[in-house]
Amino acid sequence: MSAGTGGAVDWAALRSAATAAMQRAYAPYSSFPVGAAALTEDGRIVSGCNVENASYGLTLCAECTMVGALQMSGGGKLRAFFCVDGAGQVLMPCGRCRQLLYEHRGSRLELMTASGVKTMDEVLPDAFGPEHLSD
Ligand SMILES: O=c1ccn([C@H]2C[C@H](O)[C@@H](CO)O2)c(=O)[nH]1
Ligand SMILES: [Zn+2]
């Protein structure tokens, strides 16, 4: 895996990490396992899977557990993101998870989509962020 902000993103490695994470999903209610993986600006790969709950609305998306893994592995900023479903299809994060990703984006966060790579700003334009909070 290429590290840092300078080199090319190894999208195949991200797909592989997302697929491995997807295989850990706990999705007995939807039968829709999801895996998410991201490259950090310092070259780590973090990943997560969806974890459902009998109280359906409490379900954790794969992106949620991935962000937990990001924080627990040292934090940092995200540079590239890949999400996959059980059929191996590239998946877009839900609206809530776009907001989660926005919070932890690096100077540039790229997301793989079914139609190619897009930026965070393209998938969540005019986002609300920490810069809008005032004290
Ligand atoms: O980007 C997404 C979209 C959906 N899901 C999960 C939530 C739920 O467990 C299942 C069906 O919505 O897929 C994710 O984890 N990430
Ligand atoms: Zn989500």
Side-chain angles (χ1 to χ4, degrees), residues 27 30 32 34 50 52 59-63 83 91-94:
S30 71
F32 191 77
V34 178
N50 54 334
E52 298 188 342
T59 288
L60 303 177
C61 287
E63 294 86 341
C83 190
L91 203 64
M92 290 303 289
C94 76

Side-chain angles (χ1 to χ4, degrees), residues 23-110:
Q23 289 164 350
R24 300 268 177 147
Y26 176 72
Y29 306 108
S30 71
S31 298
F32 191 77
V34 178
L39 173 66
T40 64
E41 285 192 332
D42 61 0
R44 291 140 51 218
I45 291 182
V46 292
S47 63
C49 61
N50 54 334
V51 180
E52 298 188 342
N53 191 277
S55 179
Y56 297 169
L58 297 184
T59 288
L60 303 177
C61 287
E63 294 86 341
C64 299
T65 62
M66 186 198 82
V67 167
L70 169 70
Q71 187 64 21
M72 288 300 292
S73 66
K77 297 296 181 184
L78 302 179
R79 180 180 172 211
F81 173 81
F82 201 113
C83 190
V84 69
D85 68 17
Q89 298 297 308
V90 174
L91 203 64
M92 290 303 289
C94 76
R96 176 178 184 272
C97 290
R98 293 180 201 203
Q99 183 72 33
L100 282 184
L101 295 173
Y102 183 82
E103 179 81 17
H104 300 283
R105 76 198 184 285
S107 56
R108 178 180 174 87
L109 173 55
E110 296 182 327

Side-chain angles (χ1 to χ4, degrees), residues 117-133:
V117 175
K118 293 186 178 175
T119 66
M120 187 75 240
D121 287 343
E122 287 177 303
V123 304
L124 189 66
D126 301 323
F128 173 83
E131 64 274 21
H132 296 113
L133 295 174

